[in-house]
Amino acid sequence: MSTAEKLHVLFASSEAEPLAKVGGLGDVAGALPAEINRIAEDHVDIRLIIPFHAVIKEKNPPVGLIGSFPIKTKTGQSICDLYVTDLDGVITYLLDSDGINHNSPIYYGDATLDGRKYAHFSLALLEAMRFIDWPIDVLHANDWHTALAVYALKDLYKNDPFFSQTKTILTIHNLPYNGYGADAAMTDLGFSPCSDPDLPDWARLTPLPVGLATADRIIAVSPGYAEEILTPDYGCGLDGYLRLHLDKLSGIVNGIDLEKWNPETDVYIGHPYSIDRLHNKQLNKLDFQREIGLEMNPEIPMLTVVSRLDFQKGLGLIFDALPDLADQAWQLVILGTGAKELEQRAQEFAAAFPDKVVSILKYDNALSHKLYASGDIFLMPSLYEPCGLSQMIAMRYGNIPVARATGGLKNTIIDFHASPERATGFLFEEKTTEGLKTTLEMALNVFKNKQIWYRLQRNAMSMDFSWKQSALQYLQIYQELSQI
Ligand code: ADP
């Protein structure tokens, strides 16, 4: 451990809510360090570091400039500016430089530009800690964007006394996004190809695999996903490596922010409710049906989707399965943005079933609260789902998930088929239209039985999805690593 009494943990991420969020990683980085800080403040000093994205500058949060320092590149040097702010009690550093690209989007969606931005960020975040003389005991990196900080410790900094005590965790939130395309930026920053013989050749100058190869511990965001990525179907070419290094891999399920997602106090909904006041949930549904122009009728089950429109989410299964159930009573509301092709399909679907389907193609936090609160059934037929937060939020609002039995969905939803008394939702195994159709049909039937449906809602709303359990598990790993 470093000279200070508390364990120094640096949590490195590309996004953190409420400063910058694109998906679930933003939720995690905004909540997990804060929860760890609350639980273990007396013996752990956990700090967060993210890039000073343009979107953060626009929000103009109170920040202080700590100072500026250089990082070396092959062609010269890049000057980094280090700022500090507070995020829910956590000291949070914001890093800016030419390399990180002032005023850039969180993600360009371009492999070379993102590769350059995050390769620079990964090196700069280590140099930032040297600059403030804060030795890191545990570096907790997340996904490919910060994986190069882990690799740098074993490559560029392997003989550097400032980092000689630093242990590393790399959490995988989404394995297919591996940072491929960052090789030029890595070479420019002086990285050498990873020589680990267990890695495939394409991976030697790719951020996520080289981070996995050099991390002391690898955490997948659910035990289900930790198992799945050992298989060729889900392993993205790294399953072979992971099978050889099982000893350092495990899974920890994410949590959700129970204050932000609370039907009893939610400021975005007209009629707060709880398990004992579920009739208010119906009032929210009636308001929402009126607002979006659907028939106002509590007996019609409202199906809901709140999601990035990405092929991962299996939305094609919804568009293919629902027409076969068109003679039944249901309404569908989709809230999401993303792939143009899926946005178009969602629009065409709404046009084909104007009395049943509404597609809202935007990112809208307030509206998402209304969907969670008004919906009866939450559709999440993901082809793969490392953890998934939306299904946990939906359950907290008594919006019963119909989801594929994959990754974190199978770790967080108790399936009606397997355990009708304790069930919190409906799971199906097959990645097929038929799989979703049969299970949704079953859910629509169960919806007609008020008593059983109420039991499902009560079970779902009573689940403990707090961050506390995850935070305790991460804390244990920090402690184990600090004793090596
Ligand atoms: P992923 O990280 O793969 O996007 P998660 O289920 O882990 O999926 O997290 C998604 C988060 O983003 C949830 O908090 C969900 O409510 C939110 N979200 C997704 N799409 C939208 C949208 N269009 N508007 C508002 N919130 C959204």
Side-chain angles (χ1 to χ4, degrees):
M1 207 187 292
S2 54
T3 44
E5 272 172 42
K6 291 186 186 181
L7 191 71
H8 287 188
V9 180
L10 184 66
F11 194 98
S13 174
S14 53
E15 44 180 295
E17 217 218 3
L19 294 174
K21 172 179 158 179
V22 172
L25 173 57
D27 291 277
V28 174
L32 178 60
E35 184 67 19
I36 290 171
N37 191 39
R38 274 189 286 275
I39 295 175
E41 199 176 5
D42 55 337
H43 57 282
V44 173
D45 182 354
I46 184 164
R47 302 184 184 188
L48 174 66
I49 188 158
I50 59 174
F52 203 168
H53 301 290
V55 69
I56 305 179
K57 290 175 187 157
E58 279 160 26
K59 286 182 185 140
N60 198 17
V63 297
L65 175 66
I66 297 178
S68 304
F69 59 90
I71 62 166
K72 281 194 210 99
T73 67
K74 272 211 170 138
T75 46
Q77 62 175 25
S78 159
I79 300 296
C80 304
D81 301 322
L82 183 65
Y83 297 82
V84 67
T85 187
D86 174 281
L87 205 75
D88 198 6
V90 175
I91 294 175
T92 299
Y93 298 109
L94 303 166
L95 206 45
D96 205 2
S97 78
D98 287 339
I100 294 165
N101 288 347
H102 309 285
N103 304 324
S104 55
I106 301 175
Y107 309 116
Y108 289 96
D110 174 286
T112 312
L113 293 176
D114 281 328
R116 180 165 185 267
K117 174 169 179 168
Y118 286 105
H120 275 255
F121 175 59
S122 296
L123 267 196
L125 70 90
L126 295 174
E127 287 299 341
M129 295 304 106
R130 191 202 306 275
F131 177 62
I132 59 168
D133 194 22
W134 196 77
I136 311 167
D137 296 311
V138 179
L139 170 68
H140 187 163
N142 292 276
D143 274 353
W144 78 265
H145 321 100
T146 47
L148 285 180
V150 174
Y151 182 53
L153 295 174
K154 293 283 160 51
D155 183 30
L156 298 172
Y157 295 115
K158 63 176 179 284
N159 298 318
D160 190 321
F162 186 77
F163 298 108
S164 63
Q165 298 301 315
T166 307
K167 301 291 187 299
T168 52
I169 300 183
L170 179 52
T171 295
I172 305 173
H173 301 259
N174 207 333
L175 188 64
Y177 295 86
N178 57 26
Y180 192 80
D183 47 342
M186 287 177 68
T187 307
D188 183 46
L189 290 168
F191 283 102
S192 37
C194 182
S195 59
D196 188 325
D198 298 341
L199 276 187
D201 280 342
W202 62 264
R204 299 193 184 286
L205 272 176
T206 306
L208 186 66
V210 298
L212 296 176
T214 44
D216 294 306
R217 295 289 294 267
I218 301 171
I219 308 295
V221 285
S222 69
Y225 197 51
E227 272 173 33
E228 283 174 348
I229 57 180
L230 301 175
T231 66
D233 269 2
Y234 294 87
C236 307
L238 295 171
D239 46 296
Y241 175 84
L242 293 168
R243 282 194 302 275
L244 288 171
H245 297 274
L246 272 180
D247 50 325
K248 63 175 185 177
L249 171 68
S250 54
I252 299 178
V253 172
N254 291 327
I256 56 170
D257 183 333
L258 297 185
E259 279 177 31
K260 186 174 139 200
W261 299 110
N262 183 352
E264 286 191 69
T265 54
D266 195 322
V267 292
Y268 297 112
I269 62 176
H271 309 275
Y273 61 95
S274 59
I275 297 178
D276 307 320
R277 284 187 298 148
L278 267 172
H279 52 278
N280 267 8
K281 181 170 168 64
Q282 295 213 342
L283 298 180
N284 289 307
K285 176 171 159 182
L286 288 169
D287 282 358
F288 193 52
Q289 283 171 324
R290 186 180 47 228
E291 192 178 321
I292 58 176
L294 288 174
E295 181 186 336
M296 286 174 69
N297 181 347
E299 300 304 321
I300 303 179
M302 183 186 280
L303 317 179
T304 44
V305 173
V306 179
S307 180
R308 284 185 296 119
L309 300 186
D310 184 285
F311 291 93
Q312 170 197 344
K313 302 293 179 180
L315 299 157
L317 299 183
I318 298 178
F319 301 133
D320 292 339
L322 281 181
D324 288 349
L325 302 175
D327 56 341
Q328 301 204 24
W330 50 261
Q331 298 168 336
L332 169 68
V333 187
I334 299 174
L335 174 64
T337 49
K340 288 288 158 270
E341 192 185 325
L342 289 170
E343 289 193 352
Q344 196 179 334
R345 277 203 82 182
Q347 245 161 353
E348 287 166 3
F349 200 55
F353 297 95
D355 300 334
K356 281 177 152 355
V357 181
V358 173
S359 292
I360 307 168
L361 302 180
K362 58 178 175 178
Y363 187 95
D364 187 328
N365 179 50
L367 205 51
S368 78
H369 283 251
K370 288 191 184 180
L371 259 83
Y372 287 119
S374 308
D376 299 298
I377 293 176
F378 192 79
L379 295 179
M380 205 159 166
S382 306
L383 305 182
Y384 74 96
E385 193 59 71
C387 178
L389 301 175
S390 310
Q391 81 282 8
M392 292 192 258
I393 301 170
M395 282 185 270
R396 183 145 166 84
Y397 282 76
N399 189 345
I400 300 303
V402 169
R404 237 196 103 233
T406 181
L409 294 173
K410 65 182 176 200
N411 292 131
T412 53
I413 298 169
I414 304 174
D415 181 25
F416 188 79
H417 304 85
S419 179
E421 293 290 323
R422 294 174 48 241
T424 61
F426 298 82
L427 291 173
F428 64 99
E429 293 281 343
E430 318 77 25
K431 258 185 219 173
T432 59
T433 308
E434 201 53 35
L436 171 61
K437 200 173 85 184
T438 317
T439 306
L440 179 56
E441 224 169 353
M442 179 179 216
L444 290 171
N445 273 332
V446 176
F447 179 77
K448 292 177 191 147
N449 184 322
K450 295 273 174 288
Q451 229 177 333
I452 303 184
W453 197 258
Y454 174 64
R455 191 174 68 211
L456 271 160
Q457 288 183 306
R458 200 184 48 211
N459 290 346
M461 293 174 78
S462 311
M463 295 288 280
D464 178 6
F465 293 126
S466 68
W467 271 105
K468 190 161 178 211
Q469 291 312 319
S470 328
L472 288 171
Q473 291 177 67
Y474 274 111
L475 265 171
Q476 182 168 348
I477 296 175
Y478 296 162
Q479 253 129 23
E480 283 166 18
L481 284 176
S482 70
Q483 281 153 19
I484 296 176

